Amino acid sequence: DTAVSQTPKYLVTQMGNDKSIKCEQNLGHDTMYWYKQDSKKFLKIMFSYNNKELIINETVPNRFSPKSPDKAHLNLHINSLELGDSAVYFCASSQATGQETQYFGPGTRLLVL
Amino acid sequence: AQSVTQPDIHITVSEGASLELRCNYSYGATPYLFWYVQSPGQGLQLLLKYFSGDTLVQGIKGFEAEFKRSQSSFNLRKPSVHWSDAAEYFCAVGATGAGSYQLTFGKGTKLSVIP
């Protein structure tokens, strides 16, 4: 069974479109995260949710809106996509918001044309 | 705020040779330290972690890492590299910043293995 899954795996779209990426974890974890990995492979946290409540919201354009319908899901919606949004987006989860290990999904490769 | 430096962007080793990947961190207290590996086109897999206790930690796939507080380092080692170890390796520090716990990653070290 996949612990942290993301859909879609690849996403190619035009500038200005709106798209969503879905994430689900079956580990029973309370906390979920979104990370962005840029073309230089640098990973940076974007958001973190604990029990459906937003706890980390880094400096991210408000075109990005996370939504957590329940603690097993954390979706990322992106409005008005720009070329600079092209990246790999990783979802992760952990037991709680402390020092627990984070487990990562396989990533969603977004290409904006 | 915490930070992580991986000084080597790219390392090439021959199969069977030993490996050491360097990681230095900056944080005011004892951090939680992690090494993750990312194979091409894949997600991140946890290799090992250090929270407390024995400063030499063993991980999966024959990797180990040693926490050295005096040097603010957490270097990753493997005695004999296999071709399948070719991947990107990320060191990360987990710490509380701005009121919440988060992982801060280094920029990664790409490992190439010569058969």
Side-chain angles (χ1 to χ4, degrees), chain A residues 9-10 33 35 37 40-43 45 55-56 58 90 97-107 109, chain B residues 32 34 36 38-46 49 51 88 90 98 100-108:
Chain A
K9 190 168 183 179
Y10 299 97
Y33 311 81
Y35 287 85
Q37 186 177 46
K40 290 185 168 41
K41 302 279 187 158
F42 184 53
L43 269 160
I45 189 157
I55 54 171
I56 294 176
E58 291 295 301
F90 286 101
T97 59
Q99 64 272 24
E100 289 78 9
T101 302
Q102 294 183 18
Y103 295 88
F104 284 77
R109 284 144 187 85
Chain B
Y32 303 109
F34 305 83
Y36 285 87
Q38 183 180 22
S39 297
Q42 302 297 314
L44 279 82
Q45 181 182 23
L46 178 70
K49 60 189 178 188
F51 286 175
E88 192 93 23
F90 293 93
S100 60
Y101 172 86
Q102 56 183 280
L103 279 185
T104 300
F105 284 86
K107 295 192 175 182

Side-chain angles (χ1 to χ4, degrees), chain B residues 13-19 63 78-86 111-113:
Chain B
V13 300
S14 298
E15 192 168 17
S18 63
L19 172 71
F63 285 93
K78 186 170 184 177
S80 178
V81 169
H82 188 262
W83 63 266
S84 61
D85 294 325
L111 174 66
S112 297
V113 180

Side-chain angles (χ1 to χ4, degrees), chain B residues 14-38:
Chain B
S14 298
E15 192 168 17
S18 63
L19 172 71
E20 182 168 31
L21 301 182
R22 295 184 291 163
C23 172
N24 292 98
Y25 68 89
S26 173
Y27 183 59
T30 301
Y32 303 109
L33 295 161
F34 305 83
W35 274 100
Y36 285 87
V37 61
Q38 183 180 22

Side-chain angles (χ1 to χ4, degrees), chain A residues 1-2 28 30 39 62 64 72 78 82 92 107 112:
Chain A
D1 280 344
T2 303
D30 289 334
S39 58
N62 58 16
F64 290 78
I78 316 170
E82 300 178 357
V112 182

Side-chain angles (χ1 to χ4, degrees), chain A residues 42, chain B residues 1-11 20-27 31 33-35 71-76 89-94 104-109:
Chain A
F42 184 53
Chain B
Q2 63 270 24
S3 66
V4 178
T5 302
Q6 293 179 247
D8 304 305
I9 296 173
H10 190 183
I11 284 182
E20 182 168 31
L21 301 182
R22 295 184 291 163
C23 172
N24 292 98
Y25 68 89
S26 173
Y27 183 59
L33 295 161
F34 305 83
W35 274 100
Q71 298 176 20
S72 297
S73 69
F74 189 56
N75 294 348
L76 182 71
Y89 291 79
F90 293 93
C91 180
V93 58
T104 300
F105 284 86
K107 295 192 175 182
T109 297

